[in-house]
Amino acid sequence: MRLKLLSPGEMNESQRQTYDESIAGKRGKPPAPMMAWLHSPDMARHATRLGEVLRYDTIFPAKLSEIAILVTARHWTAHYEWYAHKRLALAGGMDPKIIDAIRDRRTPAFDDPKGKMIYDLAKSLHEGHGVEKGLYDEAVKLLSERGVVEVIGLCGYYTMVSMTLNTFEFELPEGELPELS
């Protein structure tokens, strides 16, 4: 770990307010990257609020939003992010075969056309740096404009999360091994 993470007793007032707000939120605990972001308390506060919205308040159920998050974690080879969100994807009902395919950089087989569209959008955003017109039109038709905005938000936010976790070398919990190569 490259960065000293602050304990609540070491935090200044602004950091402690952000920390306490995260505990009081829907997660019930501070998200791992926020502990690094606390070195910039205002950024941590806003990023954590955005993360809570994207995690709990999009139009997508967990098994769909986790597709965008796992594609992002795989794109960035973010081991900690993969570890955390693989578990959440499974708990949300995602087929383990989809998770394995994303891990192995293969296109998964989807039963749900919305899942395939979220996957296609996320891959296009990361690999193509945008979305071509045909895919965009199909995405709006299937997911709605709000859905497209929220997939972009998921990919963007979890890119920042992945960069944070990778840069500061967050370690996996004791006994866990990296799944991404």
Side-chain angles (χ1 to χ4, degrees):
M1 182 73 178
R2 291 178 164 171
L3 182 69
K4 179 181 179 352
L5 302 183
L6 304 172
S7 70
E10 297 172 302
M11 295 175 191
N12 65 35
E13 184 178 335
S14 182
Q15 292 166 329
R16 184 58 193 235
Q17 286 174 350
T18 299
Y19 178 85
D20 289 346
E21 182 182 308
S22 74
I23 292 171
K26 292 180 181 178
R27 287 184 182 101
K29 62 182 183 177
M34 189 205 74
M35 297 306 294
W37 298 337
L38 281 174
H39 288 276
S40 176
D42 286 338
M43 181 190 138
R45 183 174 299 110
H46 293 290
T48 303
R49 287 175 182 167
L50 175 61
E52 187 172 286
V53 167
L54 291 168
R55 182 97 159 57
Y56 298 103
D57 299 325
T58 69
I59 62 172
F60 304 116
K63 76 177 189 176
L64 292 180
S65 62
E66 291 295 336
I67 293 167
I69 298 167
L70 289 176
V71 168
T72 302
R74 172 68 272 193
H75 178 78
W76 289 98
T77 312
H79 298 290
Y80 189 97
E81 193 64 18
W82 182 266
Y83 159 79
H85 283 275
K86 175 184 176 182
R87 294 177 359 173
L88 293 169
L90 289 168
M94 188 183 295
D95 182 339
K97 292 177 186 173
I98 292 172
I99 297 168
D100 292 346
I102 293 170
R103 180 198 61 218
D104 297 340
R105 298 186 192 268
R106 292 181 287 109
T107 301
F110 291 96
D111 293 335
D112 182 347
K114 288 184 179 181
K116 180 174 181 351
M117 181 57 68
I118 291 168
Y119 174 84
D120 290 346
L121 278 174
K123 290 289 283 186
S124 182
L125 288 165
H126 288 300
E127 294 176 5
H129 306 242
V131 178
E132 60 90 29
K133 183 175 177 9
L135 179 58
Y136 173 82
D137 291 343
E138 289 178 44
V140 168
K141 188 175 185 179
L142 187 60
L143 303 176
S144 78
E145 288 175 333
R146 176 180 172 177
V148 172
V149 167
E150 290 178 350
V151 171
I152 293 167
L154 286 162
C155 290
Y157 174 78
Y158 284 98
T159 288
M160 182 171 72
V161 167
S162 295
M163 288 177 161
T164 299
L165 298 171
N166 284 355
T167 298
F168 297 118
E169 298 178 348
F170 275 68
E171 295 180 3
L172 294 173
E174 184 77 29
E176 295 293 331
L177 298 173
E179 290 188 34
L180 307 176
S181 55

